[in-house]
Amino acid sequence: MEKYLYITLFAPLVGSLFAAMFGMKPKKLFVGIVASLLLFISFISAVILLVHVASTDEVVKAQLFDWITVGSLNIPFGFVADPVSTVMMVTVTLVSMLVHIYSIGYMEHDEGFNRFFSYLSAFVFSMLVLVMSDNFAGLFIGWEGVGLCSWLLIGFWYHKPDLSRDQNPSISPAWAANEAFIMNRIADLGMLIGLFIIYWHIGSLQYDVVFSHVNLFDISIITMMGIFLFIGAMGKSAQFPLHTWLADAMEGPTPVSALIHAATMVTAGVYLVVRSFPIYSQIPEIGLWIATLGAFVAVFAASMALVNTDLKRIIAYSTLSQLGYMFVAAGLGAYWVALFHLMTHAFFKALLFLGAGNVMHAMDDELNIFKMGGLYKVMKWTAAMMIIASLALAGIYPFAGFFSKDKILEVAFDSHHYILWFMLWVGAGMTAFYSFRLIMLVFFGEERYKKYGFHPHEAPWYMLAAMAPLALLAIVAGFFEHSFEEFVTTLLPEYHFHMEGITKVALIGLTTLIALSGIGLAVYKYSKGGFSEKWKENPIYKLLYNQYYIPQLYDKLFAQPYRELSQIAWKELDLRLVDATVDFIAGIIYATGFKSRVVQSGNLSKMLRWMVIGLLILLVLVVLYSPVR
Amino acid sequence: MDYILSLLVFFPAVAAVLGFIVDRDNIKVYAITVAAIEFVISLILWMAYDPTNPGFQFTEYLPLVPAYGINYYLGVDGISLFLVVLSTFITLIGFISLTVEDNLKNMLISLLFLEMTMVGVFVALDAVLFYIFWELSLVPMLYIIGYWGSELRIYAAIKFFLYTFFGSLIMLVGMLFLAYLYYMATGTISFSIPDWHRLVLPFDYQVWLFLAFFLGMAIKVPMFPFHTWLPYAHGQAPTIGSVILAAVLLKMGTYGFVRFSLPIFPDASIALITPIAFLAIIMVIYTAMVAYAQEDMKQVIAYSSISHMGVIILGTFAMNVEGIAGSIFLMISHGIVSGALFMLVGNIYDRRHTKLLSEFGGLAKVMPKYATIFGIMVMASVGLPLTIGFVGEFLSLMGFYKISPSMTFLGGMSIILGAVYMLRLYKTTFFGPLTNEKNRNLPDLDGKELTSLIALTAVVIWLGINPNPVLKPINNSVESMLELMEKKAVTKEARELLHANTVKLEAK
C-alpha cells in the first residue's frame, strides 16, 4: 500500500517538474494534458488508499528518509494515510484534477500556460505533503509550500500595474500576492512557536508521540500549544483579523481561486485543528473561543458579501464565512462535522468558482455583476450548475450543504451555545440571500451586458464536463453522511447529540425557513430591478462595501507607520546617530594625533625638554606605586 | 592525508605567488583551476572526516616558538569543517562568475591570498596563528574594495580596515592575557585553543576576557551598534568582494563565538545571554526595517545580512545542541544564499550599471531565468522549508526558545520582516509593467552566470531537503563542546542552565 501513498504524493510533483521544463516556452497543449493525467493517477491511487483504509481499518505509514536530526530532535519525511488524511487526499486530488482539466480551457489563450500548470501541480504536491505528513514539521513544509504556490499564482499576472484602492480594491496581483504571503507569515510565526512549545515539552514533533503524551501535561501548557497552533490556522484559513488577504487573492486566475482559495488551501487551518484534536479536546475553553471567532467570521464575512458587486469577491467572502462555520464545529468538538463540511464545501465552492470563471470568460473578464444579467439565455449549463452550487451553499435539501451546514447548527444548539446558534442561523439567511442575489443579477433579469457591448458565449464542452462531477457531488455528497461519520470516527472522537427528535426537526425547519426566505427575498427583489439607488448612500452600505474600512485601517495603522519608521531608522538612526558616532570617535582620534604631532618636531632642545617631562612623570609613578615604601 | 590541512591553507597562497608569472590572458583559467583543485581537496577532507568522532581531526603540530607556547597547530572538527568547504566553494563560484576586466591578475592573486586566510582562520588551533590569519584577511579585502570599488571606495575600505582592526587588537590583548592566565595556572605558556578549552577561569576574569573577545567578534559579525562599516563596504565593493565578505568573512565573527567565547568562558557567556540576545534582537528587527527603507538593491541585501546574523547570534547563545548546531548551519546557508544574492545583483549591475530599485520593474518578462533564480534565492533567504535557509533559522529559534520564549518571539520577527523587505525588493524589481525602456532588451543570464548560479541553487535545494550530512558532524562536535562547558562551568547558574537545556518530559 505504501506504493499508492507515494504515487498519490509524487505524481503531481512529476507533473509540476514536467511542466516547468516548458515553463519559458510558448504554450504546449500536451503540458496541460500530461499534468491532468498525472493528477488523475494521483486521484485513483488516493481512492485505492481510501478504500483500503476503510475496508481494513489499517493505517498506512511510510518513511522516506530523515530530514533534520539534531540533539533530541528527529524529523523524518514520514507520511500517513489514516481516515482523516485519506478523506483529505481524495478531496484534494479530485478537485485538483477537475480544476486542472478545466484550466486547459480557461488558460487557453494565456502565454503563461505551461508555467501555470507547473505552479498548479506544485500546489497540489504541497497540499498533499500538508495533509499526509505524520508530523508537525512535515505539515509545516506543506503549509509553507502552499503559501509559496499561492504567492506565485495570485501574482500570476504580475505584469499588471499597481492601481489605487478605488480603482481596484486589491491594488494589483503582485501586491495581493505579497499581502497574502506576509499575512500568512505573521500567522506562521505563531505556528512555529507552537511547534517549539511542543518540542521542548514532548521532545518530538511526530503526531503519534505528541498525541499520546499530551494528556500528561499541565493544562496551561496544552492551552499554549492550542493557542499558538490556532494562530497559524488563522492565517491560512483567513480568520479575522488576518482575513483581508483572501478577498485580494481573487486577483489570481479563477481556477486558482477555485482550487486554492476555496476548496483546499484555506481549509488547511480547519484540518490542523481537526488533526490536533487530542490537544483541543483537552482545552474546551479555547475550543469555545475558536467557535466564537468562527461564528463571528461567519456573519462578518457574509455581511460583506451582501453588498459587493464583484463576482469573485462575493464568493470569496462566502468562503470566509463558510470557514467560520467549520471552525464553529471544530471548536465545539464536533471534529467529524467540521471535516464533513470541509469536504462538501470543497465540492460546491469549487463548482461555484468554476462557474464564475465561465461567466468571466463570456464577459471578457468583467467582474461587476451589475453589468451582467440575463446570461441564462446564452449559458444554460453554467447557470444550472451555479444554481446547484448556490442551493448547496444555502443549505437546501437534498443538496450537500444541507447535511453538513445543518449539522453545524445542530451542534451549536445541542451544546447549549444558543448565541452561536443564532449567529449561524442569521448567517445562513445571509448566505442564501447573497448567493441568489448573485444568481439573479448574473443570469436573470434585464440583459444589461448588451449596453456595454459584450458578446457572451457558453464555455466549451470539456470545461463544463470538468464541472459536472462537482455538480453531481454537490447534489449527492450529503447522502454519504453516515458512512463518512462511521469512517472518520474510527480516528476522530464521536459527537453525541442529546437532542430529542422533535427539537431536531424544529431546528431543521427553522434553518430551512430562513434559507428559503433569503432566497425568496433575493429572487423577489432582483426580479423587480433590485434595491433602490438610495441604499448606496446609507452608511451601513458604505461600511460593508468598504469591508468595514479594515484594509484602509491596516494601511494607516501598520503599513504606513512601518514605512515611516523604517525611513527614520535608516536616515536618522543609522546614518545620523550610529554611524556618525563612529565617525566622530574616529575624528577625535585623528585630531588628537594631528595635534600631538608637534611633539615630534625634530628640534633637539624641544625633544630634551619632553624627555625630562617624561622622566619626571615616570619618577612620580615609581614613588606612587613603589612596592617598597 | 596527514598534511591535508596545510595543503588546503597554503596551496592557494603558493598558487597565488606563482600566479605572478602566469600570462595575463591565461590568468582566469589558471585561477579557476586552482580554486577547483582547492575545492576538491576540501571535499576530500569532508569525505575523509569521521563524523562519529567529535574531536579535532587531521591535526598537525609543529613547534614555532616553544618558549612562548606558540605552535603551528591545525585541525578541524564538525564546527569548522563546513566553513572550510564553504570558503573554497564560494571562492570557486566567485571566480567562475567574475566579470572584472581591469587588472584582473592582481584581483585573482589577492583573492587566492584571501582564500588562504579564510581557510587558515577556520583550521587554526593556535590562537596566534588564528590571529595572524584573521588580520591578514583584511589586507586583500582592503585592496579589493579600495582598487575595484565605486566612488567612495577609499573611505569604505579604510573604514572597514580600521574598524575591524581596532576590534581585533582588543581581542589580541585578551589573547595575551589569557595565555598569561594559562601560565599562572599551569606554569607553561600556551596559545593552543584546545588547551584553553580545558582551562577553568574564575568568573570575573571570564567576564573581562569575554568582553575583550566580544568586541573583536562583534565588529566582524557585525553586531549592532558596530555594524555601520558593512553597508559602506558592500555598497562600494565589487561584486566578488561583497560575495566573499558576506558569505565567509562575516562568519569568522560568529565562528569565533563558538570556538572561543562559549567553551573558554562558559559562565560569562551564560551570564551575558540576556544583553547579547537583546543586541541580537535589535539586529533582527532594526536592520530589517533599515533594509526595507533602502533604495539600492545591494544595500537591501547588505542589511538583510546583518538581520540574519542576529538570528545566528541567538542560536549560538541558546546554549543547547539544537540552537548552536542550527546557528552553525545558518552560517553555511547564509553564506550560500547571500553570496548568490550578491552575485545576482552583480549580474544586473553589469548590464545596467545601476542598482537603484527605482530603475527597475517588470524584469520577470524580460529575464525569466534571472527572475526564477532570484526568486528561489529570495525564498531561501526568507527561510522557506525545503530550502537551505529554513533549517538553520528554525533550529536557531527553536534552541533559543528554551532560554526565553518572549525573546524568541521577538527574534522570530525575522521570518515576517524578512519576507516584508525581500518581497518588496522582488516586487519592485520583477513585477509590475516594464516601465523603463532601457530594460526592454536586457539579455537573460548567459552560460557563465548560469553555471555559477545553478551550482548555488542546487546546493540550496539539496541541503534544504537533506541537511543531515552537514548537521550530523556539527551535532556531534557541538554535543561534546556542551559537555565540556558543563564540566568546567564554575557558577551554579551556568551549570544548572547547561544541565537543564535538553528536552525532558515534564509530566505533571
Side-chain angles (χ1 to χ4, degrees):
Chain A
M1 275 300 130
E2 275 186 23
K3 184 175 67 186
Y4 293 106
L5 207 141
Y6 287 132
I7 292 174
T8 314
L9 183 63
F10 288 111
L13 180 66
V14 173
S16 169
L17 296 176
F18 178 76
M21 291 197 307
F22 301 93
M24 289 165 202
K25 301 213 169 71
K27 184 199 159 183
K28 297 257 191 319
L29 183 64
F30 67 85
V31 169
I33 295 172
V34 169
S36 308
L37 268 178
L38 284 161
L39 254 293
F40 179 69
I41 294 170
S42 173
F43 168 64
I44 294 297
S45 79
V47 170
I48 294 173
L49 273 176
L50 176 78
V51 171
H52 176 79
V53 174
S55 55
T56 61
D57 278 342
E58 182 201 2
V59 172
V60 182
K61 284 186 179 178
Q63 280 201 358
L64 268 181
F65 55 92
D66 284 343
W67 181 32
I68 298 178
T69 315
V70 160
S72 343
L73 177 68
N74 181 31
I75 306 171
F77 283 113
F79 304 99
V80 61
D82 58 12
V84 173
S85 60
T86 45
V87 163
M88 290 297 289
M89 281 155 68
V90 170
T91 313
V92 168
T93 49
L94 173 64
V95 179
S96 309
M97 176 183 70
L98 297 173
V99 169
H100 267 75
I101 299 170
Y102 178 89
S103 305
I104 297 178
Y106 191 85
M107 301 301 285
E108 204 179 357
H109 302 294
D110 199 289
E111 53 177 330
F113 185 84
N114 306 341
R115 190 165 58 96
F116 181 81
F117 278 95
S118 173
Y119 295 169
L120 205 61
S121 292
F123 166 78
V124 181
F125 171 69
S126 311
M127 190 69 204
L128 287 171
V129 171
L130 196 162
V131 298
M132 290 166 70
S133 278
D134 70 348
N135 61 68
F136 282 104
L139 175 123
F140 194 72
I141 297 178
W143 196 264
E144 294 284 286
V146 292
L148 168 70
C149 298
S150 157
W151 179 75
L152 288 167
L153 285 163
I154 297 172
F156 189 74
W157 289 313
Y158 56 79
H159 51 81
K160 293 187 185 169
D162 284 10
L163 301 173
S164 76
R165 226 182 258 283
D166 303 329
Q167 289 168 294
N168 178 2
S170 327
I171 298 181
S172 75
W175 192 90
N178 281 3
E179 183 197 15
F181 197 94
I182 291 163
M183 280 266 185
N184 273 298
R185 278 258 142 168
I186 296 173
D188 290 346
L189 176 58
M191 175 141 173
L192 274 181
I193 293 199
L195 299 196
F196 297 162
I197 299 175
I198 291 174
Y199 173 68
W200 283 113
H201 287 100
I202 298 173
S204 173
L205 293 172
Q206 297 296 115
Y207 290 146
D208 41 8
V209 181
V210 173
F211 296 151
S212 59
H213 287 83
V214 79
N215 50 358
L216 297 176
F217 294 99
D218 202 65
I219 203 77
S220 63
I221 292 164
I222 308 177
T223 309
M224 294 294 278
M225 291 177 190
I227 290 176
F228 280 105
L229 287 181
F230 183 65
I231 291 176
M234 280 166 71
K236 267 293 164 270
S237 292
Q239 294 295 290
F240 181 84
L242 298 174
H243 63 282
T244 55
W245 68 267
L246 184 60
D248 292 339
M250 294 302 122
E251 285 292 311
T254 307
V256 171
S257 313
L259 177 59
I260 303 186
H261 304 117
T264 53
M265 184 185 87
V266 286
T267 60
V270 182
Y271 169 77
L272 175 66
V273 175
V274 170
R275 174 58 80 187
S276 319
F277 76 89
I279 294 179
Y280 287 101
S281 52
Q282 303 263 334
I283 40 172
E285 309 79 33
I286 300 298
L288 183 59
W289 183 74
I290 293 173
T292 312
L293 184 70
F296 166 72
V297 172
V299 177
F300 166 78
S303 70
M304 293 190 284
L306 291 178
V307 299
N308 210 293
T309 58
D310 183 309
L311 177 65
K312 283 180 75 181
R313 280 182 165 255
I314 294 174
I315 313 180
Y317 291 131
S318 154
T319 307
L320 261 184
S321 166
Q322 296 302 310
L323 289 168
Y325 278 88
M326 294 175 212
F327 276 118
V328 174
L332 295 179
Y335 300 102
W336 77 265
V337 180
L339 200 62
F340 188 50
H341 192 52
L342 188 162
M343 187 182 81
T344 59
H345 173 260
F347 300 146
F348 58 71
K349 193 51 72 60
L351 179 63
L352 205 53
F353 261 120
L354 296 182
N358 287 355
V359 173
M360 281 172 69
H361 248 198
M363 298 289 296
D364 300 335
D365 288 342
E366 177 57 54
L367 283 165
N368 189 338
I369 50 175
F370 281 92
K371 292 186 181 170
M372 301 172 188
L375 285 174
Y376 177 74
K377 283 179 196 142
V378 280
M379 320 179 61
K380 288 202 174 56
W381 286 104
T382 305
M385 285 197 271
M386 279 188 82
I387 291 170
I388 291 172
S390 298
L391 285 169
L393 176 60
I396 304 297
Y397 186 83
F399 297 93
F402 170 80
F403 296 89
S404 55
K405 198 159 88 176
D406 231 49
K407 260 287 167 311
I408 298 178
L409 275 102
E410 278 172 38
V411 168
F413 196 87
D414 186 65
S415 55
H416 310 297
H417 297 106
Y418 302 117
I419 299 172
L420 293 187
W421 174 82
F422 181 71
M423 286 165 81
L424 296 183
W425 185 72
V426 173
M430 288 156 100
T431 309
F433 175 77
Y434 67 68
S435 306
F436 278 85
R437 171 177 175 265
L438 185 142
I439 295 288
M440 290 305 289
L441 283 170
V442 174
F443 291 109
F444 300 101
E446 191 199 336
E447 290 159 334
R448 291 177 300 271
Y449 64 85
K450 288 190 173 155
K451 249 192 326 204
Y452 299 96
F454 292 112
H455 301 286
H457 52 85
E458 179 61 289
W461 66 269
Y462 55 91
M463 285 168 79
L464 294 171
M467 291 164 68
L470 291 174
L472 184 69
L473 283 167
I475 302 171
V476 303
F479 294 104
F480 296 108
E481 185 186 336
H482 289 292
S483 40
F484 181 90
E485 180 184 0
E486 238 172 73
F487 177 48
V488 294
T489 47
T490 52
L491 177 72
L492 297 176
E494 288 174 48
Y495 187 87
H496 300 286
F497 287 97
H498 314 287
M499 277 189 300
E500 301 291 319
I502 187 86
T503 342
K504 200 169 165 180
V505 173
L507 274 181
I508 294 173
L510 269 178
T511 319
T512 309
L513 186 70
I514 194 162
L516 285 174
S517 336
I519 296 175
L521 181 66
V523 172
Y524 173 75
K525 267 298 191 186
Y526 287 98
S527 59
K528 297 217 160 173
F531 292 85
S532 72
E533 286 293 308
K534 265 189 292 178
W535 271 94
K536 294 199 171 168
E537 299 308 312
N538 191 313
I540 296 179
Y541 176 91
K542 281 190 176 161
L543 186 71
L544 295 181
Y545 191 78
N546 286 301
Q547 312 175 48
Y548 295 88
Y549 294 100
I550 289 172
Q552 287 90 332
L553 188 74
Y554 283 179
D555 210 33
K556 288 259 176 327
L557 216 59
F558 302 110
Q560 257 179 23
Y562 185 74
R563 254 195 304 276
E564 278 158 24
L565 268 177
S566 303
Q567 285 293 337
I568 293 172
W570 178 36
K571 294 207 164 126
E572 305 297 323
L573 274 176
D574 216 51
L575 294 182
R576 287 238 179 119
L577 191 70
V578 183
D579 192 40
T581 315
V582 174
D583 277 0
F584 179 69
I585 294 170
I588 288 180
I589 295 171
Y590 186 74
T592 324
F594 196 76
K595 292 261 162 58
S596 52
R597 201 168 61 174
V598 288
V599 179
Q600 304 281 349
S601 59
N603 183 321
L604 188 63
S605 60
K606 267 191 190 161
M607 300 289 267
L608 283 171
R609 220 172 294 157
W610 283 114
M611 242 175 88
V612 173
I613 292 172
L615 194 68
L616 283 176
I617 292 172
L618 285 176
L619 279 174
V620 171
L621 288 176
V622 166
V623 171
L624 285 179
Y625 290 101
S626 165
V628 273
R629 200 175 289 224
Chain B
M1 268 311 159
D2 290 347
Y3 298 105
I4 189 165
L5 291 182
S6 292
L7 186 66
L8 260 179
V9 175
F10 293 109
F11 175 65
V14 172
V17 174
L18 293 176
F20 283 112
I21 54 170
V22 174
D23 189 57
R24 250 192 72 89
D25 300 330
N26 301 331
I27 186 76
K28 193 159 177 194
V29 180
Y30 172 77
I32 291 177
T33 317
V34 170
I37 295 171
E38 173 83 352
F39 176 57
V40 169
I41 301 174
S42 69
L43 286 184
I44 293 171
L45 176 76
W46 181 7
M47 292 306 125
Y49 180 87
D50 173 14
T52 53
N53 173 3
F56 291 106
Q57 301 182 22
F58 308 104
T59 48
E60 291 173 37
Y61 190 87
L62 190 79
L64 288 181
V65 192
Y68 290 100
I70 301 171
N71 305 301
Y72 177 78
Y73 189 14
L74 306 178
V76 282
D77 65 353
I79 297 169
S80 53
L81 173 65
F82 296 102
L83 290 164
V84 173
V85 181
L86 175 74
S87 310
T88 59
F89 178 61
I90 288 291
T91 310
L92 173 63
I93 295 289
F95 280 7
I96 293 174
S97 70
L98 201 60
T99 51
V100 173
E101 303 272 319
D102 173 35
N103 226 338
L104 182 64
K105 193 164 165 177
N106 289 12
M107 170 168 262
L108 287 170
I109 289 169
S110 345
L111 284 169
L112 285 174
F113 271 116
L114 188 59
E115 186 170 24
M116 168 194 82
T117 63
M118 293 188 300
V119 175
V121 162
F122 296 128
V123 299
L125 289 185
D126 185 275
V128 173
L129 207 59
F130 173 88
Y131 183 79
I132 290 171
F133 285 126
W134 172 283
E135 293 294 38
L136 274 184
S137 72
L138 295 179
V139 181
M141 209 55 192
L142 174 80
Y143 183 42
I144 289 170
I145 299 177
Y147 187 89
W148 287 274
S150 22
E151 306 82 52
L152 273 175
R153 57 180 179 269
I154 300 295
Y155 172 76
I158 300 274
K159 190 166 189 159
F160 160 73
F161 189 94
L162 287 183
Y163 207 157
T164 44
F165 190 65
F166 167 76
S168 339
L169 277 181
I170 294 178
M171 184 172 77
L172 179 66
V173 174
M175 284 177 175
L176 295 175
F177 186 57
L178 196 55
Y180 170 75
L181 286 178
Y182 190 84
Y183 172 74
M184 297 301 279
T186 63
T188 48
I189 297 186
S190 175
F191 280 95
S192 141
I193 297 171
D195 282 351
W196 287 359
H197 283 174
R198 286 188 292 272
L199 181 65
V200 179
L201 293 168
F203 182 69
D204 47 344
Y205 278 156
Q206 278 194 36
V207 173
W208 287 110
L209 282 166
F210 180 89
L211 290 177
F213 277 80
F214 176 77
L215 205 65
M217 313 289 182
I219 292 176
K220 196 88 174 179
V221 169
M223 285 180 76
F224 178 87
F226 309 112
H227 65 277
T228 52
W229 61 268
L230 186 81
Y232 284 105
H234 276 309
Q236 305 306 319
T239 302
I240 181 78
S242 291
V243 169
I244 293 196
L245 183 61
V248 187
L249 293 193
L250 303 190
K251 308 302 176 299
M252 292 183 180
T254 46
Y255 169 74
F257 278 123
V258 183
R259 182 59 81 220
F260 289 91
S261 306
L262 258 49
I264 304 180
F265 324 115
D267 303 286
S269 305
I270 284 165
L272 292 171
I273 285 178
T274 310
I276 287 173
F278 186 68
L279 285 184
I281 287 167
I282 294 180
M283 284 162 80
V284 168
I285 296 177
Y286 165 82
T287 45
M289 292 179 80
V290 178
Y292 180 74
Q294 297 304 308
E295 289 143 11
D296 181 307
M297 281 166 99
K298 207 172 177 187
Q299 296 290 12
V300 178
I301 297 161
Y303 277 104
S304 90
S305 288
I306 308 177
S307 190
H308 280 118
M309 299 308 270
V311 180
I312 296 182
I313 300 288
L314 278 184
T316 305
F317 282 83
M319 303 292 165
N320 48 43
V321 189
E322 289 84 352
I324 299 175
S327 79
I328 295 165
F329 193 87
L330 191 53
M331 291 177 208
I332 314 290
S333 71
H334 178 260
I336 303 277
V337 174
S338 68
L341 283 170
F342 277 117
M343 239 173 243
L344 286 160
V345 174
N347 293 339
I348 200 74
Y349 184 76
D350 288 342
R351 285 168 175 70
R352 283 291 321 278
H353 298 286
T354 178
K355 297 168 292 191
L356 283 183
L357 283 170
S358 55
E359 288 281 321
F360 301 106
L363 284 188
K365 265 239 148 58
V366 203
M367 306 172 70
K369 289 177 198 159
Y370 181 66
T372 309
I373 295 182
F374 208 117
I376 294 172
M377 291 305 165
V378 162
M379 286 302 150
S381 170
V382 303
L384 206 80
L386 298 193
T387 66
I388 197 170
F390 174 74
V391 183
E393 196 173 34
F394 176 71
L395 290 175
S396 298
L397 291 173
M398 178 183 257
F400 203 76
Y401 186 86
K402 184 78 180 170
I403 301 284
S404 160
S406 53
M407 284 184 140
T408 308
F409 174 75
L410 292 173
M413 295 303 279
S414 135
I415 72 161
I416 302 171
L417 302 180
V420 172
Y421 61 74
M422 271 302 177
L423 292 185
R424 169 193 174 253
L425 170 75
Y426 198 77
K427 175 172 175 280
T428 41
T429 318
F430 292 98
F431 291 162
L434 191 80
T435 41
N436 195 332
E437 278 306 314
K438 287 181 197 156
N439 297 332
R440 191 162 297 280
N441 294 316
L442 287 183
D444 208 344
L445 296 177
D446 60 25
K448 187 176 71 179
E449 291 161 337
L450 274 177
T451 316
S452 44
L453 288 171
I454 285 179
L456 289 166
T457 312
V459 174
V460 162
I461 301 206
W462 170 54
L463 286 183
I465 294 174
N466 188 17
N468 271 347
V470 171
L471 273 175
K472 279 216 172 105
I474 296 179
N475 180 55
N476 292 342
S477 294
V478 170
E479 255 172 17
S480 84
M481 181 183 92
L482 282 167
E483 272 167 33
L484 176 89
M485 284 169 70
E486 196 183 333
K487 247 182 261 163
K488 66 181 273 197
V490 288
T491 56
K492 196 162 134 268
E493 293 79 26
R495 232 176 297 132
E496 275 170 7
L497 188 138
L498 285 168
H499 187 71
N501 219 352
T502 51
V503 179
K504 289 200 182 62
L505 269 178
E506 294 169 19
K508 86 178 148 188

